[in-house]
Amino acid sequence: MLAKDNMPLNTTEKEGFIHFMKKAAPMYKIPSRTTITNLIKTKYEVLSGLVKTKLSQIEFLTITTDIWTDTVNTKSYLGMTVHFLNISNVALDSVTIGVMELSASHTANNISMWFEQLIEEWGIKKKQVVTVVTDNGSNILSAVKKTFSQEKHLPCFAHTLNLVSERALENLSDVQVLINKIKSVVTYFKHSVAASDELKKLCNYKLKQSVPTRWNSIYYMIERFILCSNYIASVLINMRGGPTMVTADEIDLAREMLSVLRPMEVAIKELCGQKYVTGSKVIPLINCLIKKMRV
């Protein structure tokens, strides 16, 4: 239960859970947090041993790896996943072999050292690795070149599409003005209890805020804003000190933005699959995007 639902390890020591278990299974001895931790460690050792055995029998595999930052705790992590063909059921399979907290700076040398550490820990030989897929960061590109060779690096096409979308939004001044106006309206409703309550009376949808690191969050923010635009306007008319509502012409511009960005979002989602070979979809998707943009 703790593992599947990502619950805190001390859940078994909380008063409500203890009360529930006394009613549900009075004779059951609830394990403490320490016991749970030891059980998880034992389970990990068994499962990791099975994975290492499986990886040793794989002739070729692909690695995907990425570095991201937990903005709440200001900690960075390196994740690495291996992908391969499972011969037993003739299907694509993948295993996450590491999520490491990064304590040093993200230089190419340090990233390369972390790469070496992970593949050594899991018994992966460099000759098994066909391709290493990463984002377009210069530091991680240099690390892959240092560890595996430049020929084995493949930039993530989904990440490249993200960059295209971000730069398109950044380079259009009128679009940026509109995005900022919509952000201010959404922020106002998120911070004003009175305005939020009035909107709930009129509309079943919740407004979405954008995340600076994800262009598609802007897409979803605008999409939801358009759905609620008439209700938002009626609420703002009766509110004092609220932001200026976007005009009808600006809403039309927002709809045009969505029509341009929607194919990009669909393509990126299509490239995020794990049970099919996404690399074979790159060229067809490029052709589809070009045709769609020309319409």
Side-chain angles (χ1 to χ4, degrees):
M1 179 190 71
L2 299 181
K4 288 189 175 183
D5 296 333
N6 290 319
M7 298 176 70
L9 299 184
N10 66 347
T11 297
T12 58
E13 297 177 346
K14 291 184 177 180
E15 182 180 352
F17 184 78
I18 293 173
H19 176 74
F20 169 77
M21 290 304 297
K22 282 183 178 178
K23 299 293 184 181
M27 303 300 293
Y28 179 68
K29 183 180 179 182
I30 304 173
S32 65
R33 176 178 179 173
T34 304
T35 303
I36 292 291
T37 303
N38 291 332
L39 289 170
I40 290 175
K41 287 180 178 178
T42 302
K43 189 73 171 178
Y44 174 79
E45 290 171 1
V46 173
L47 291 178
S48 62
L50 294 174
V51 171
K52 288 175 183 177
T53 301
K54 180 186 290 187
L55 292 178
S56 67
Q57 299 168 354
I58 301 298
E59 187 175 2
F60 302 112
L61 54 84
T62 295
I63 291 176
T64 55
T65 183
D66 190 23
I67 294 175
W68 74 96
T69 302
D70 177 0
T71 54
V72 176
N73 298 309
T74 60
K75 292 181 179 180
S76 295
Y77 298 90
L78 169 70
M80 182 178 282
T81 302
V82 294
H83 310 265
F84 52 90
L85 179 65
N86 193 329
I87 302 299
S88 60
N89 57 359
V90 194
L92 293 180
D93 204 349
S94 61
V95 178
T96 299
I97 62 172
V99 179
M100 299 174 57
E101 182 180 345
L102 307 183
S103 54
S105 58
H106 304 167
T107 62
N109 286 335
N110 285 337
I111 296 172
S112 176
M113 179 186 67
W114 294 321
F115 284 165
E116 296 278 5
Q117 182 179 335
L118 276 173
I119 62 175
E120 181 181 356
E121 179 183 347
W122 289 88
I124 296 173
K125 297 179 176 62
K126 292 181 183 179
K127 65 180 182 180
Q128 291 176 276
V129 180
V130 177
T131 304
V132 182
V133 182
T134 73
D135 61 21
N136 295 273
S138 58
N139 56 346
I140 203 165
L141 173 57
S142 298
V144 172
K145 179 180 177 181
K146 182 179 178 66
T147 310
F148 300 99
S149 80
Q150 187 170 359
E151 292 73 22
K152 291 188 176 182
H153 179 260
L154 184 67
C156 175
F157 184 63
H159 182 259
T160 303
L161 282 182
N162 274 318
L163 293 179
V164 170
S165 304
E166 286 176 6
R167 290 172 186 174
L169 293 174
E170 290 170 358
N171 293 333
L172 298 171
S173 57
D174 54 342
V175 167
Q176 279 301 311
V177 170
L178 176 56
I179 290 173
N180 290 332
K181 286 186 72 172
I182 293 176
K183 279 183 180 178
S184 66
V185 173
V186 172
T187 302
Y188 173 76
F189 276 89
K190 291 293 183 181
H191 292 171
S192 171
V193 176
S196 179
D197 287 344
E198 288 300 316
L199 184 61
K200 287 177 183 177
K201 294 176 183 177
L202 302 172
C203 179
N204 294 326
Y205 295 109
K206 289 184 179 180
L207 296 179
K208 293 185 177 182
Q209 286 181 303
S210 63
V211 179
T213 55
R214 296 180 60 190
W215 78 269
N216 56 354
S217 69
I218 294 176
Y219 171 86
Y220 290 122
M221 177 186 71
I222 296 173
E223 183 181 50
R224 186 58 56 84
F225 180 85
I226 291 174
L227 284 173
C228 304
S229 58
N230 291 334
Y231 306 112
I232 292 171
S234 63
V235 172
L236 289 178
I237 289 173
N238 300 318
M239 289 289 168
R240 294 181 179 179
T244 304
M245 180 58 181
V246 299
T247 65
D249 289 339
E250 287 173 327
I251 290 177
D252 288 339
L253 174 59
R255 288 195 176 98
E256 289 180 13
M257 288 168 56
L258 288 184
S259 66
V260 173
L261 293 174
R262 189 172 290 112
M264 304 288 281
E265 175 66 3
V266 171
I268 289 170
K269 282 185 175 179
E270 187 68 21
L271 291 163
C272 293
Q274 284 190 312
K275 297 301 181 182
Y276 51 86
V277 182
T278 54
S280 64
K281 292 178 175 281
V282 171
I283 293 175
L285 282 173
I286 290 175
N287 287 324
C288 289
L289 286 173
I290 290 173
K291 290 180 180 178
K292 192 69 178 177
M293 295 301 173
R294 285 175 177 171
V295 174

